[in-house]
Amino acid sequence: MTTVTEKAWLGQLNEDLVDAGNGHRLHIDVISPFLAMQDAAHKDGIDLQLVSSYRDFDRQTAIFNRKWTGKAQLLDVNGSLLSFDSLRDDEKLHAILTWSALPGGSRHHWGTDIDVYDRASVKHWDGQFNLVETEYEAGGPCHALACWLGENMSRFGFYRPFSVSRGGVAAEPWHLSFKETAETFEKARNLQGLTAAIEQSNIEGKSCILSQLPTLYNRYVLNNGVSPTETV
């Protein structure tokens, strides 16, 4: 079994990555199952391609900071655009974490998790592709892909960690995880390590994050959703 270091699960150092093409990298355990799944999908007329794969801590920080400073749009849990200027800091934080993980808390740090889409269908779709749930439902360009994954992904070792929203991370039918390897990273996560990484980072809104990090860790990183004592 792979030994996961703290730097590895935090996305600060991952020495088990291999090239997956088009600028993507995956954990060495994941590349063969992914390519096999991709080939099987293609044989069934599905152009399964990667939107996102491995992202390191710094890349995740850049994504978070763009959203915190209003340089990237914020969405509610239903995928509707929010008014940035009307949000308090805590509201802004929860809006970001509904769709984008904290640096150090992202499953994409591991190389085991991927976002996928049907490239051919999206190319011929009359609309802007935003990677939201409706695009994977009936009438959306990736509906056939979503159905195919539901029937076939487990044969290749993949599952959806965000299949439904529990009041934390939004439902993400495009997000797949290679279960066997991802579980070793899940077991290595801890609040103390994440806290230290956030404290030492250049993340925007640091004081807001640290003041409620134990709750954020449970709700969004572990994806346990909202507890009975919390309010949404």
Side-chain angles (χ1 to χ4, degrees):
M1 180 176 292
T2 303
T3 300
V4 176
T5 66
E6 187 157 275
K7 285 185 176 295
W9 69 260
L10 286 169
Q12 297 172 332
L13 178 65
N14 192 325
E15 298 179 329
D16 295 314
L17 299 172
V18 294
D19 182 22
N22 299 313
H24 293 289
R25 288 183 289 170
L26 294 173
H27 192 284
I28 192 171
D29 294 347
V30 181
I31 186 68
S32 291
F34 168 71
L35 292 175
M37 180 172 67
Q38 185 182 55
D39 183 61
H42 284 191
K43 290 177 180 177
D44 288 338
I46 304 292
D47 186 19
L48 189 163
Q49 299 291 340
L50 293 169
V51 176
S52 186
S53 52
Y54 171 76
R55 292 197 297 266
D56 66 15
F57 186 96
D58 290 341
R59 175 58 181 152
Q60 197 68 28
T61 302
I63 291 171
F64 185 96
N65 286 352
R66 279 182 54 79
K67 293 191 173 185
W68 184 270
T69 56
K71 295 177 182 176
Q73 65 183 16
L74 297 181
L75 306 177
D76 66 16
V77 70
N78 298 312
S80 299
L81 187 65
L82 293 169
S83 173
F84 178 84
D85 292 334
S86 69
L87 299 176
R88 303 188 310 268
D89 279 357
D90 61 323
E91 293 174 328
K92 186 165 56 175
L93 176 58
H94 287 286
I96 294 171
L97 296 182
T98 297
W99 295 101
S100 298
L102 276 173
S106 175
R107 299 178 66 95
H108 282 284
H109 291 333
W110 311 339
T112 61
D113 284 53
I114 55 178
D115 296 338
V116 298
Y117 76 128
D118 186 326
R119 180 176 58 186
S121 291
V122 168
K123 183 178 179 180
H124 294 97
W125 185 53
D126 184 21
Q128 182 177 346
F129 187 67
N130 294 311
L131 203 65
V132 293
E133 189 175 12
T134 54
E135 296 163 345
Y136 290 74
E137 296 175 339
C142 294
H143 181 240
L145 167 64
C147 294
W148 189 92
L149 290 170
E151 296 173 358
N152 295 280
M153 62 183 172
S154 62
R155 293 195 289 121
F156 303 95
F158 292 92
Y159 79 108
R160 290 183 173 111
F162 307 122
S163 58
V164 297
S165 174
R166 301 184 178 91
V169 180
E172 296 187 351
W174 55 83
H175 185 133
L176 310 183
S177 181
F178 188 68
K179 186 176 180 63
E180 182 178 359
T181 306
E183 284 180 342
T184 64
F185 285 87
E186 291 173 347
K187 293 174 182 177
R189 293 180 296 190
N190 62 84
L191 178 58
Q192 182 178 4
L194 179 60
T195 301
I198 294 294
E199 288 175 340
Q200 296 164 17
S201 75
N202 64 349
I203 193 170
E204 298 285 349
K206 185 184 294 188
S207 61
C208 182
I209 295 167
L210 291 173
S211 69
Q212 51 188 311
L213 190 53
T215 298
L216 300 177
Y217 178 77
N218 182 68
R219 181 172 175 179
Y220 295 104
V221 179
L222 301 184
N223 197 35
N224 289 328
V226 183
S227 73
T229 58
E230 290 180 71
T231 58
V232 179

